[in-house]
Amino acid sequence: MIRIERSATISGLALAMALLATPSAQAQSADMTFFVTSNGPGKGADFGGLEGADAQCQKLAQAAGAGSKTWRAYLSTQPADGKPAINARDRIGKGPWQNAKGTVIAKDVAELHGAANNLTKQTALSEKGEVINGAGDQPNRHDILTGSQADGTAFAGPDDRTCKNWTSSTQGAAMVGHADRRGLRDDEPSKSWNSSHPSRGPDGGCSQADLKSTGGDGLLYCFAAN
């Protein structure tokens, strides 16, 4: 009986020392300024516009202990109803940005959109600090909604690249990037984190089923803008 109590005491001390030696996941997440959403609202690319997408980022950040920051979804919009386009790169603050593990993915907007950024499958983590399934995983979830060109700006042409500015879950198309920087070919679009290919599918291109069919799940990149 004494031996059991002594063992329990030693185990308790070891646990306490371990907790003191390593910061908690919650404490790490509090310093997080970038993540990939672990899930979407389930309505494909329909977030109710930019405000709804930002709210999705804010909600997940709040649950992870980083809700004190102002979070923005990395999404562009196209000109519509007399309103000008909005560039994703202009919405996300100045940086630097780090993931839930403390790894810096870019120091500023220029680096984020250049060859020196540190966005990979191992660093493009969810708000929970988890790796997002990529090419070769089941299911593949590497298609991240952006509606953006490679430099982070909106598309100017007539083709829909934002699922009607993030309000459609049927007709339209959304430009997506590959969070794992991998695709079907060894070319720049396949390796692009923010501008790989438009969505497509039998429902029209913007439904949850359509996004899943090409390797997505209605996920977003979220950045702390302050």
Side-chain angles (χ1 to χ4, degrees):
M1 190 68 179
I2 293 173
R3 186 176 301 164
I4 294 172
E5 290 176 353
R6 184 175 297 166
S7 176
T9 301
I10 292 171
S11 297
L13 286 170
L15 177 60
M17 290 174 68
L19 289 173
L20 287 171
T22 57
S24 68
Q26 194 81 351
Q28 281 187 310
S29 294
D31 295 328
M32 172 179 68
T33 49
F34 161 83
F35 65 90
V36 179
T37 55
S38 59
N39 57 70
K43 297 190 295 180
D46 179 6
F47 290 86
L50 285 180
E51 288 186 2
D54 290 344
Q56 176 72 1
C57 288
Q58 197 75 43
K59 180 180 75 171
L60 295 180
Q62 181 75 36
S68 63
K69 301 178 179 67
T70 299
W71 290 88
R72 295 284 181 264
Y74 183 91
L75 295 176
S76 293
T77 62
Q78 295 173 273
D81 302 322
K83 297 178 180 178
I86 295 174
N87 302 320
R89 64 181 291 142
D90 298 334
R91 310 187 70 244
I92 58 173
K94 297 180 179 179
W97 299 283
Q98 64 182 38
N99 65 19
K101 302 291 188 183
T103 301
V104 174
I105 58 107
K107 69 176 186 293
D108 54 32
V109 173
E111 185 172 85
L112 179 65
H113 294 92
N117 75 54
N118 189 31
L119 267 170
T120 67
K121 182 179 180 180
Q122 288 70 40
T123 63
L125 304 177
S126 76
E127 76 280 0
K128 302 175 183 178
E130 297 171 344
V131 173
I132 303 297
N133 277 11
D137 297 328
Q138 294 296 328
N140 180 9
R141 305 171 79 220
H142 73 173
D143 282 359
I144 313 298
L145 299 167
T146 70
S148 303
Q149 300 183 86
D151 64 355
T153 59
F155 285 90
D159 295 335
D160 185 9
R161 290 293 180 264
T162 61
C163 284
K164 295 179 171 45
N165 285 338
W166 316 110
T167 62
S168 175
S169 60
T170 52
Q171 298 297 315
M175 181 59 69
V176 302
H178 289 164
D180 61 350
R181 316 296 291 271
R182 291 181 58 195
L184 298 177
R185 295 173 297 279
D186 186 23
D187 58 12
E188 286 305 310
S190 295
K191 298 174 184 177
S192 175
W193 68 274
N194 67 341
S195 198
S196 289
H197 60 82
S199 64
R200 58 188 181 275
D203 293 337
C206 297
S207 73
Q208 191 75 11
D210 285 345
L211 298 181
K212 286 185 174 182
S213 72
T214 59
D217 204 13
L219 305 185
L220 302 169
Y221 293 116
C222 298
F223 290 81
N226 59 339

